[in-house]
Amino acid sequence: MIDVRCICAIGQRGQLGLNGQLPWEGNTDPLFVEDVTRFFALTMGHVLIAGPKTVASVPEFAFKDRTIDVIRSHEDPEEVLKRYPGRRIFVGGGIAVWNVYAKYIQHWDVTRLPYDGEADRWFDPAWLVGGALRTP
């Protein structure tokens, strides 16, 4: 069985994004820094699949100790996941990606950060049960 997981952070009301970035991007509060550090620690040695925007935001150091694969909307998710037999695969974020891959994710690791500001992208709780309430 393929081990497919997601690790992500959301704001207090489920905020995910704002203007193409994390709403708390650059926040140096220890809780936010700890969350980023934890993400890289948990994904180390594993596979991270994500869309081009997410992969473009990954720092250079992360490419040295994990496999990072850019996925595209035209690719069959099952074929993408089959590329990594026996590996733990983390599905990187974005609504479009999670709408497609939610049904394959067996473990969601969601951190609620102390952010309660603006957002234009929101976490969809339906992903937790393998689907999406809205169509992409």
Side-chain angles (χ1 to χ4, degrees), residues 1 19 39 44 54 58 77 79-80 84 89 92 102 116-117 120 122 131:
M1 177 178 230
N19 301 321
F39 173 86
M44 186 184 316
T54 299
V58 174
E79 291 303 315
V80 170
Y84 304 102
I89 302 167
D116 202 22
D120 56 17
W122 301 86

Side-chain angles (χ1 to χ4, degrees), residues 13-39:
R13 294 177 288 121
Q15 300 97 316
L16 273 177
L18 179 63
N19 301 321
Q21 296 184 14
L22 297 172
W24 47 84
E25 191 73 37
N27 189 317
T28 58
D29 180 282
L31 289 172
F32 294 89
V33 173
E34 178 184 310
D35 180 65
V36 173
T37 302
R38 184 174 176 273
F39 173 86

Side-chain angles (χ1 to χ4, degrees), residues 38-61:
R38 184 174 176 273
F39 173 86
F40 287 114
L42 289 176
T43 60
M44 186 184 316
H46 301 296
V47 176
L48 172 62
I49 61 172
K53 286 182 183 177
T54 299
V55 170
S57 72
V58 174
E60 190 61 36
F61 78 84

Side-chain angles (χ1 to χ4, degrees), residues 49-53 69-80 83 92-101 104 136:
I49 61 172
K53 286 182 183 177
D69 190 2
V70 176
I71 55 175
R72 302 293 186 158
S73 59
H74 68 274
E75 293 181 282
D76 176 357
E78 291 185 19
E79 291 303 315
V80 170
R83 293 179 199 163
I95 290 171
V97 172
W98 290 330
N99 279 342
V100 173
Y101 282 85
Y104 302 99

Side-chain angles (χ1 to χ4, degrees), residues 75-133:
E75 293 181 282
D76 176 357
E78 291 185 19
E79 291 303 315
V80 170
L81 296 173
K82 284 181 188 176
R83 293 179 199 163
Y84 304 102
R87 303 278 309 271
R88 178 171 292 164
I89 302 167
F90 287 90
V91 179
I95 290 171
V97 172
W98 290 330
N99 279 342
V100 173
Y101 282 85
K103 67 182 180 179
Y104 302 99
I105 297 172
Q106 296 133 348
H107 177 82
W108 286 86
D109 184 326
V110 180
T111 300
R112 182 167 283 170
L113 293 173
Y115 175 83
D116 202 22
E118 289 184 69
D120 56 17
R121 300 287 184 266
W122 301 86
F123 188 86
D124 186 341
W127 293 327
L128 300 174
V129 293
L133 295 173

